[in-house]
Amino acid sequence: MPPEPVVSETRTAVRRLLDSAEAAPFKGAPLVVACSGGADSLALAAAVAHVSREVGASAQAIVVDHGLQVGSQAVADAAVEQLAGLGLPAQIADVAVDGMGGLEAAARKARYAALRAERPSGSLVLLGHTLDDQAETVLMGLGRGSGPRSIAGMRSLDEPWARPFLPVRRATTEAACRAQGLEPWQDPHNADSRFTRVRLRTEVLPLLEDVLQGGVAGALARTARQLREDSEALEAVAEAELSRVRADQGLDCGALRELPAAIRRRVLRDWLRAEGVPEMTDAHLRSADALIAEWRGQGGPALPGDFVLRRAHGRLRVETADRKPPNG
């Protein structure tokens, strides 16, 4: 008897990612499913278990216990039990969440670090992010206003992370669990309006769907994909230009000025990162760009990590804040 359409959809999504050109370097490596016990990751685990048997691949799961809620150990144990029923061996990784940068961000950082540490070398870690998660990510990026990279969303494969469910709706994963007799855990944090993503999910997106008469989540996901493709093309151009404008352990200001702004700022960002400057805001990058596009003899901006960007004798250089060569 053929599986229900929602189950077929989840399995097809996994097959498509594993058959993609991007995943080719990982062919034959173990597959690891990150499973919280929620509907998305449980449906993913079921699909991976089925597909891995089809192709003869090794598959396993990691359940991360953040320890943020009373009874989290029981939730992790229940997830392991259901995974065993699917034929997926699973282990529990206990993590400590320090709360720095906000609870959501700290939990995500701890979770990803544990998954990296526990996965077999060379393996892909499959995550249960759906099309709805992608739409929420795009809206959060729009709210931050930090440029196309922040609204390009999540990639389907960003080593070691793989997200086969990005084309799949959350309603599909929930229905797939019901169809296969799986009992997802309902995380109370997913209904807690203190978290920005929860309010986007329960208030903002439903309102947008109503006002714009449907299709908003899909449209946001398509926009993310288009922006990601455009950004990757611009990144490739910027990489080539960076090699061309390097000069005297810095960058040639005259050569930089000839570049279109979209390329020039990417060149600056990539170079500054390579020089050790931590993640910059759009304001930092525009201040750096002003030394090229709006040069009037001004001093260079202070950058994160106690760095300063300086222009001297037609060259840009990154220095620590206590060094003060003449401008020129």
Side-chain angles (χ1 to χ4, degrees), residues 36 63 65 71-84 90 92 94:
S36 67
V63 178
D65 181 3
S72 64
Q73 181 64 55
V75 171
D77 289 340
V80 169
E81 185 177 347
Q82 292 201 80
L83 291 165
I92 297 174
D94 297 311

Side-chain angles (χ1 to χ4, degrees), residues 62-128:
I62 299 175
V63 178
V64 177
D65 181 3
H66 300 87
L68 294 175
Q69 301 171 30
V70 175
S72 64
Q73 181 64 55
V75 171
D77 289 340
V80 169
E81 185 177 347
Q82 292 201 80
L83 291 165
L86 293 169
L88 280 185
Q91 66 182 91
I92 297 174
D94 297 311
V95 299
V97 179
D98 59 23
M100 293 181 62
L103 187 60
E104 284 181 288
R108 182 170 56 251
K109 182 178 179 182
R111 177 169 62 254
Y112 277 49
L115 292 169
R116 278 186 183 275
E118 299 295 335
R119 73 185 179 103
S121 178
S123 65
L124 283 176
V125 179
L126 282 74
L127 308 173

Side-chain angles (χ1 to χ4, degrees), residues 59 72 107 149 237:
S72 64
R149 293 185 74 219
V237 175

